[in-house]
Amino acid sequence: VHVSVKSAAPHAAAIQHVALLSEAALLARAGALAGRRLDELCALHGARAGKKGRVGVTLERALGVEQGSARGADLPGLGIEIKTLPVAHGRVLESTWVGSATPSTLAAETWATSLVRSKLARVLWLPVEAGPIAASERRVGTAFLWSPDAQDEATLRADWEDLADLVSRALGFAVSARRGTALQLRPKARDASVRVRASSESGERVQIAPQGFYLRRTFTQAIVDRVFGGSARS
Amino acid sequence: VHVSVKSAAPHAAAIQHVALLSEAALLARAGALAGRRLDELCALHGARAGKKGRVGVTLERALGVEQGSARGADLPGLGIEIKTLPVAHGRVLESTWVGSATPSTLAAETWATSLVRSKLARVLWLPVEAGPIAASERRVGTAFLWSPDAQDEATLRADWEDLADLVSRALGFAVSARRGTALQLRPKARDASVRVRASSESGERVQIAPQGFYLRRTFTQAIVDRVFGGSARS
DNA sequence: GGGGATCCACTGTTGGATCCAG
DNA sequence: CTGGATCCAACAGTGGATCCCC
């Protein structure tokens, strides 16, 4: 056999992919990123700097996770979702993307079978410095694994059932981001003019603006506060 | 009002789009291309040279047709499909792409409502020099409008009904390009490893190699022979 | 000679998020 | 301070066909 050169990406030799890794090993790897700057990690793993979502992609690469392969959790064998969390002085600055909300998909789901539930069942949170700091200089914080407790789960479920019901009936256009305690519905597209085709309850084809589920800032803030005891932490 | 600079593509000022054009006017435009070389047309209309499908795209631009907008015919208002035909000394060299053949779509179609029928109902054929000539030096031939006669239609229908039946039952994988008199089924993908998801008759999800409908070379050869009386013509 | 494989550009969708006006 | 808007890259799909080995 011979080894093809094109598949030997710079980082591939250094990082073993984690599909078969244990939860503890993943957490250990994530812990090793604490204190590192994003530009260091870009350089180490051949990732490009960029705006917005590049941070998440860079950290996934740094953990050795293959991109874009799986539907559902980032780590198919493990059921763990990886999420960055922009934090400044212990304060979460932004809401967190969970997944898209399309009528046809939601009409076929229940909370128990939902993508939102399976994604949030176990999350590796990766705090990252945010705010007025230049993107390249931002440092990674202390990663932690989280699962919703009974109360979290009840809140998420209630929000999801309410929102999913409306979206599945193609009524999402009428829902503002004010709805929902922990989970909210927000636009998700290149710009406000984007429309996708969907079918309403009655089977008519309609054009809708794509929406997605987000976790409210206050919800993830509470998670951080519980883990770090409210102490300032970047 | 003001005019945005970015929408003023080089060719836009010179070529009026043909959505509202009559059939006669379209044919006149196409006739004006006869004898022109592809590199001339690329230069005139800001099209890039390239391989395979670039010829078709270039000629559509030269006719003022918007790309990729419509499902069905190239000219929504007119119901005319534009096809190039690679010809050398009166001989058609290649089969002609018609459209993709996917189980879900075909299961919902009859011959009367099929995309294949509507695309072939009226075609503007654009003969283009082919063979050992360098792509840039190839010249456009004499365009002509065509519709299937009763015999053509019967043959196409019989082939389509046979092939569409098999494909709609997710049995296309077992069909070779040898099947069909005028219409045949061939692979259509970046390479032989590509698979798409589909549902079989019984509702199971299966992975299939994408296939498409093609007109056999002999079928288009017969069309050319009828139009040009068998005389050599490029 | 033709059946199976492949090529290219463009566009739409998805998964990753942050930006910013009011 | 947050709801609505937007940013980016990668990937899949589509529409246009020709390449090339058996």
Side-chain angles (χ1 to χ4, degrees):
Chain A
V1 300
H2 77 270
V3 174
S4 161
V5 172
K6 72 171 180 179
S7 55
H11 69 293
I15 296 288
Q16 197 178 4
H17 292 289
V18 293
L20 302 173
L21 227 52
S22 71
E23 198 173 273
L26 176 64
L27 190 54
R29 275 196 182 178
L33 300 179
R36 310 300 294 266
R37 284 168 41 150
L38 289 179
D39 53 2
E40 292 181 73
L41 296 174
C42 281
L44 276 173
H45 302 292
R48 259 169 297 186
K51 291 180 161 184
K52 299 193 177 180
R54 296 304 296 167
V55 177
V57 174
T58 298
L59 291 181
E60 287 183 356
R61 286 192 73 154
L63 290 172
V65 175
E66 297 280 13
Q67 284 176 244
S69 50
R71 302 294 180 199
D74 285 325
L75 298 171
L78 219 45
I80 296 180
E81 176 76 11
I82 298 171
K83 287 289 174 197
T84 63
L85 208 47
V87 169
H89 310 299
R91 185 159 196 285
V92 174
L93 297 189
E94 293 283 355
S95 52
T96 301
W97 161 253
V98 182
S100 58
T102 56
S104 58
T105 303
L106 293 177
E109 288 184 350
T110 62
W111 168 247
T113 64
S114 70
L115 193 64
V116 169
R117 181 169 179 263
S118 73
K119 281 197 170 184
L120 297 182
R122 195 136 187 85
V123 178
L124 180 69
W125 293 105
L126 284 166
V128 177
E129 276 187 321
I133 310 167
S136 61
E137 297 178 2
R138 294 177 184 187
R139 283 171 297 142
V140 179
T142 301
F144 62 95
L145 277 164
W146 168 87
S147 292
D149 63 22
Q151 167 102 55
D152 291 334
E153 171 103 8
T155 306
L156 292 168
R157 175 178 185 158
D159 286 344
W160 184 89
E161 290 182 337
D162 175 47
L163 297 171
D165 174 56
L166 290 164
V167 172
S168 68
R169 290 151 59 198
L171 299 175
F173 70 91
V175 178
S176 89
R178 291 178 188 84
R179 197 163 184 136
T181 304
L183 207 57
Q184 63 182 168
L185 218 49
R186 300 246 295 281
K188 176 74 163 86
R190 180 166 301 270
D191 62 61
S193 70
V194 175
R195 294 291 180 280
V196 293
R197 288 167 293 283
S199 294
S200 68
E201 233 180 343
S202 56
E204 322 166 80
R205 283 174 293 283
V206 290
Q207 301 267 307
I208 60 172
Q211 294 179 296
F213 289 112
Y214 287 78
L215 293 177
R216 285 188 182 280
R217 197 197 61 76
T218 48
F219 184 80
T220 49
Q221 181 72 65
I223 295 173
V224 169
D225 289 346
R226 273 182 266 164
V227 170
F228 294 121
S231 64
R233 184 99 203 203
S234 65
Chain B
V1 302
H2 77 269
V3 173
S4 160
V5 171
K6 74 170 180 180
S7 56
H11 68 295
I15 296 289
Q16 196 178 6
H17 292 291
V18 293
L20 302 174
L21 227 53
S22 71
E23 199 173 275
L26 175 65
L27 189 55
R29 276 196 180 176
L33 299 180
R36 311 300 294 266
R37 284 169 41 152
L38 288 179
D39 53 1
E40 290 181 74
L41 296 174
C42 281
L44 275 174
H45 302 291
R48 259 169 297 188
K51 291 180 161 185
K52 299 193 176 179
R54 295 305 296 169
V55 177
V57 173
T58 298
L59 291 182
E60 287 184 356
R61 286 190 73 155
L63 289 173
V65 176
E66 296 282 13
Q67 283 177 245
S69 51
R71 302 293 180 201
D74 286 324
L75 298 170
L78 220 45
I80 295 179
E81 177 75 12
I82 298 171
K83 289 289 175 198
T84 63
L85 207 48
V87 169
H89 309 300
R91 186 159 195 287
V92 175
L93 297 188
E94 294 284 354
S95 53
T96 301
W97 161 252
V98 182
S100 58
T102 56
S104 57
T105 302
L106 292 178
E109 288 183 350
T110 61
W111 168 247
T113 64
S114 68
L115 192 64
V116 169
R117 180 169 180 266
S118 74
K119 281 196 168 184
L120 297 182
R122 195 134 187 85
V123 179
L124 179 68
W125 293 104
L126 285 166
V128 176
E129 276 187 321
I133 311 167
S136 61
E137 298 178 2
R138 294 176 185 189
R139 282 170 298 143
V140 179
T142 302
F144 61 96
L145 277 164
W146 168 87
S147 293
D149 63 23
Q151 166 102 54
D152 291 335
E153 170 103 9
T155 306
L156 291 169
R157 175 178 185 157
D159 287 343
W160 184 89
E161 289 181 338
D162 174 48
L163 297 171
D165 175 57
L166 290 164
V167 172
S168 68
R169 291 152 58 197
L171 299 176
F173 70 91
V175 178
S176 88
R178 290 178 188 82
R179 196 162 185 135
T181 304
L183 207 57
Q184 64 181 169
L185 218 48
R186 300 245 296 279
K188 176 72 162 88
R190 179 165 303 268
D191 61 62
S193 70
V194 174
R195 293 292 181 278
V196 294
R197 289 168 292 283
S199 294
S200 68
E201 233 179 344
S202 56
E204 323 164 79
R205 281 173 294 284
V206 291
Q207 301 266 307
I208 59 172
Q211 294 178 296
F213 290 112
Y214 287 78
L215 292 177
R216 286 187 181 281
R217 195 196 64 74
T218 48
F219 184 79
T220 49
Q221 181 73 65
I223 294 173
V224 168
D225 289 345
R226 273 182 267 164
V227 170
F228 295 118
S231 65
R233 186 98 202 202
S234 65

